[in-house]
């Protein structure tokens, strides 16, 4: 049986702080996205997730002797950020829409800064995708195994090493993305290739042709899959601004779109979109897809930097360290959640995002009023 939560009730912002200006509209979208992320997290914890750490994230206290609080911090630029204090974090980029948002943001920020510095020094960078054939009969675990096997074997062979030397490839950053569509699960790799010098369009075409030939050889020789040329191309990255656009489209796509309700229109759904659709429709097929995904994704890495690029990295934190990192700034007086609110977690957890928005935009008095409204409705 699909366990759904009703829509978040009550105002997200109560004092009209969002007039029709681009900046304020951007902040309003951020608040709305936060509500969606936390609402999806709550639904998944009560009706879908099996992983214990992800089920406890933000829902359980880190220290049982202390109360859960909503903390407020004033940043140096004067903006106020609200977040939950004394709560457990799972640090799962794959299973938790809240932790995933924070981790992906930090990873994208590090990559953008590192690549901009690399290009500004007169070097080059290119983006590409490596994928393999897939159809509905392929399980996600088998497709992950095949693509990992082909990549591992290719990188150990002299053909790949010669390709790197020929085009001056200093190293790479690899990210794993997983979607599901008409042809089943589609795990694939996004790459950023960092070169000693910028690559012109003629060398790029040759580089792309050679890489496809090597990838095709190892996919067909060591798996039961095939590859197509149009799905495995290389794109030149010319500026820091272009890097930002590329990251927004690839690495951060699931972060910013995974909770949206229009996933089926695009033909390729992210796992978070599958989870969201399950709670929208109660479709048992979506429930089965998520459970398959949760089992298959164990132990997978989202981002991999080649060892040769270690000096370019600026953030060596683990995913859980990023998830648990505190916002820097002036600590304001926290608001503690009453015990009665926490005791009714199943009924109240859907308000997580909205409460943070009120604390952040309207302050502790408005937050207290909203908490009393929620509690009084539960007593009716």
């Amino acid at each position: 049986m699909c366990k759904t939560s009703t829509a978040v009730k009550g105002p997200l912002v109560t004092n009209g702080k969002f007039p029709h200006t681009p900046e304020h509209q951007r902040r309003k979208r951020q608040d709305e996205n936060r509500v969606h992320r936390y609402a999806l997290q709550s639904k998944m914890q009560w009706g879908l997730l099996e992983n214990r750490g992800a089920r406890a994230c933000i829902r359980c206290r880190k220290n049982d002797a202390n109360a859960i609080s909503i903390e407020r911090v004033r940043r140096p630029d004067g903006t106020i950020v609200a977040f939950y204090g004394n709560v457990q974090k799972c640090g799962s980029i794959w299973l938790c829409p809240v932790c995933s948002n924070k981790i992906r943001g930090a990873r994208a920020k590090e990559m953008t800064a590192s690549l901009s510095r690399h290009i500004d020094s007169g070097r080059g960078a290119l983006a590409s995708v490596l994928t393999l054939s897939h159809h509905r009969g392929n399980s996600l675990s088998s497709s992950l195994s095949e693509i990992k096997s082909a990549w591992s074997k290719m990188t150990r062979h002299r053909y790949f090493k010669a390709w790197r030397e020929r085009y001056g490839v200093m190293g790479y950053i690899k990210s794993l993305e997983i979607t599901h569509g008409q042809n089943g699960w589609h795990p694939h790799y996004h790459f950023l290739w960092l070169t000693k010098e910028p690559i012109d369009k003629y060398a790029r075409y040759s580089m792309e042709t050679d890489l496809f030939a090597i990838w095709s050889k190892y996919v067909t020789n060591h798996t039961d899959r095939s590859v197509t040329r149009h799905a495995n191309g290389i794109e030149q990255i010319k500026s820091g601004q272009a890097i930002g656009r590329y990251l927004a489209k690839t690495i951060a796509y699931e972060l910013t779109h995974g909770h949206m309700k229009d996933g089926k229109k695009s033909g390729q759904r992210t796992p978070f979109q599958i989870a969201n659709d399950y709670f929208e429709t109660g479709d048992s097929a979506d429930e089965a897809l998520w459970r398959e995904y949760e089992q298959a994704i164990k132990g997978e890495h989202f981002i991999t930097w080649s060892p040769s690029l270690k000096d370019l990295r600026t953030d060596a934190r683990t995913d859980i360290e990023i998830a648990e990192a505190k916002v820097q700034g002036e600590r304001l007086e926290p608001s503690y959640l009453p015990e009665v609110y926490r005791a009714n977690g199943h009924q109240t957890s859907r308000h997580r995002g909205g409460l943070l928005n009120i604390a952040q935009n309207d302050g502790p008095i408005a937050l207290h009023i909203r908490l009393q409204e929620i509690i009084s409705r539960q007593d009716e």
Side-chain angles (χ1 to χ4, degrees), residues 30 40 80 192:
Q30 288 180 338
L40 179 58
I80 294 177
L192 292 173

Side-chain angles (χ1 to χ4, degrees), residues 66-135:
N66 299 325
I68 292 177
S69 61
I70 292 183
E71 307 283 338
R72 298 169 70 242
V73 170
R74 180 181 287 111
R75 288 172 167 168
D77 63 1
T79 59
I80 294 177
V81 179
F83 55 93
Y84 287 100
N86 189 37
V87 290
Q88 297 180 28
K89 300 288 184 67
C90 67
S92 175
I93 199 168
W94 302 118
L95 304 179
C96 175
V98 174
C99 286
S100 181
N101 182 73
K102 189 173 183 179
I103 296 165
R104 288 171 184 268
R107 299 301 185 206
K109 182 178 180 181
E110 177 193 18
M111 291 173 65
T112 302
S114 297
L115 290 168
S116 296
R117 189 168 67 253
H118 174 81
I119 291 177
D120 289 344
S121 68
R123 302 182 184 278
L126 304 101
S128 76
V129 176
L130 289 182
T131 185
L132 41 69
S133 62
H134 57 285
H135 57 79

Side-chain angles (χ1 to χ4, degrees), residues 1 33 71 81-82 110 144 152 223 273 292 296 311 341 354 356:
M1 177 67 67
N33 289 339
E71 307 283 338
V81 179
E110 177 193 18
L144 283 170
S152 176
T223 75
Q273 287 172 329
E292 179 185 0
D311 293 338
Y341 177 85
L356 289 181

